[in-house]
Amino acid sequence: GNSVTQMEGPVTLSEEAFLTINCTYTATGYPSLFWYVQYPGEGLQLLLKATKADDKGSNKGFEATYRKETTSFHLEKGSVQVSDSAVYFCALSDVGGNQFYFGTGTSLTVIP
Amino acid sequence: NAGVTQTPKFRILKIGQSMTLQCAQDMNHNYMYWYRQDPGMGLKLIYYSVGAGITDKGEVPNGYNVSRSTTEDFPLRLELAAPSQTSVYFCATSGLAGLTGELFFGEGSRLTVL
């Protein structure tokens, strides 16, 4: 079946530190992969996505590369800011299907 | 452009009561979803719909019902509320599920069952 496993949190970093949040997946076929972000008290919003192997999604300084050989989609940012404090969810959508599968979320706190 | 609108934002129920969470979208999306979010558990799919008149169960459908009579609306009904249904509920839509679809979320409805 389809599933997403992501790095346990919470993660606390100092401003300007490097961020990596690991995400691996199990899926049949070739899913699309997503990172969503949830700020306090809000719904989830799309951060970036990749639809095929070796694609790199990027947005707001965040990047993630679709690695089929390692079934991974790790989220990275070179220099985090306080405003990046949020919960980050890795997700996939099944090929030709109608469902999305989410990881458990990783809480990030960035301190000045 | 309102996007996805959920009501109410907060509600407290007593055990055994019933209620309906409303979800409305103005993006003309065919796909609509109801998720619940529990602390440390991520999002679990309750029900989804691929178009008006079509609904299907997700991972955790017990205790809930849905209907989809129009493209715009996808209400979630809780019958005989139980403490285990205390959660934050999110409605989401997608114009193209499957290969490249992005989900658009409402702001959530926080339900407490006492």
Side-chain angles (χ1 to χ4, degrees):
Chain A
N2 297 308
S3 66
V4 175
T5 302
Q6 67 179 99
M7 176 176 159
E8 295 282 337
V11 175
T12 302
L13 294 174
S14 297
E15 205 164 23
E16 299 184 1
F18 183 85
L19 168 71
T20 299
I21 301 178
N22 290 335
C23 172
T24 57
Y25 68 90
T26 301
T28 53
Y30 305 95
S32 290
L33 301 174
F34 307 83
W35 277 101
Y36 284 83
V37 59
Q38 183 181 31
Y39 298 103
E42 299 183 9
L44 283 72
Q45 56 187 276
L46 181 68
L47 180 60
L48 53 84
K49 71 176 184 180
T51 59
K52 61 182 186 295
D54 299 325
D55 266 3
K56 177 185 284 188
S58 61
N59 186 26
K60 300 180 181 179
F62 290 88
E63 293 183 342
T65 301
Y66 189 147
R67 301 285 188 201
K68 184 172 181 296
E69 63 276 13
T70 55
T71 62
S72 65
F73 193 54
H74 304 321
L75 182 68
E76 296 182 336
K77 186 175 185 182
S79 177
V80 294
Q81 305 301 310
V82 172
S83 57
D84 294 326
S85 298
V87 180
Y88 293 82
F89 292 88
C90 186
L92 69 84
S93 64
D94 59 343
V95 175
N98 303 311
Q99 297 193 30
F100 295 77
Y101 299 84
F102 287 84
T104 54
T106 301
S107 174
L108 170 67
T109 301
V110 180
I111 56 177
Chain B
N1 192 348
V4 182
T5 303
Q6 290 183 233
T7 55
K9 287 186 169 44
F10 302 93
R11 181 74 186 268
I12 298 174
L13 283 180
K14 294 182 179 178
I15 294 172
Q17 288 185 320
S18 300
M19 75 160 296
T20 299
L21 299 177
Q22 302 290 345
C23 177
Q25 55 110 350
D26 62 2
M27 295 180 287
N28 202 32
H29 284 171
N30 284 329
Y31 298 88
M32 296 188 75
Y33 303 83
W34 274 107
Y35 290 91
R36 58 177 288 172
Q37 183 182 29
D38 300 314
M41 300 297 291
L43 278 76
K44 300 292 186 183
L45 181 64
I46 305 171
Y47 270 96
Y48 67 100
S49 169
V50 302
I54 306 170
T55 62
D56 209 344
K57 295 178 180 179
E59 185 179 3
V60 290
N62 291 343
Y64 306 95
N65 278 301
V66 294
S67 59
R68 183 91 182 273
S69 56
T70 67
T71 298
E72 293 78 20
D73 299 300
F74 190 42
L76 177 71
R77 177 85 176 159
L78 280 72
E79 305 283 1
L80 298 175
S84 61
Q85 294 178 303
T86 294
S87 189
V88 180
Y89 292 84
F90 287 100
C91 179
T93 75
S94 177
L96 179 64
L99 191 60
T100 62
E102 170 190 348
L103 283 171
F104 295 85
F105 284 83
E107 294 185 347
S109 298
R110 183 176 294 274
L111 175 66
T112 301
V113 182
L114 300 175

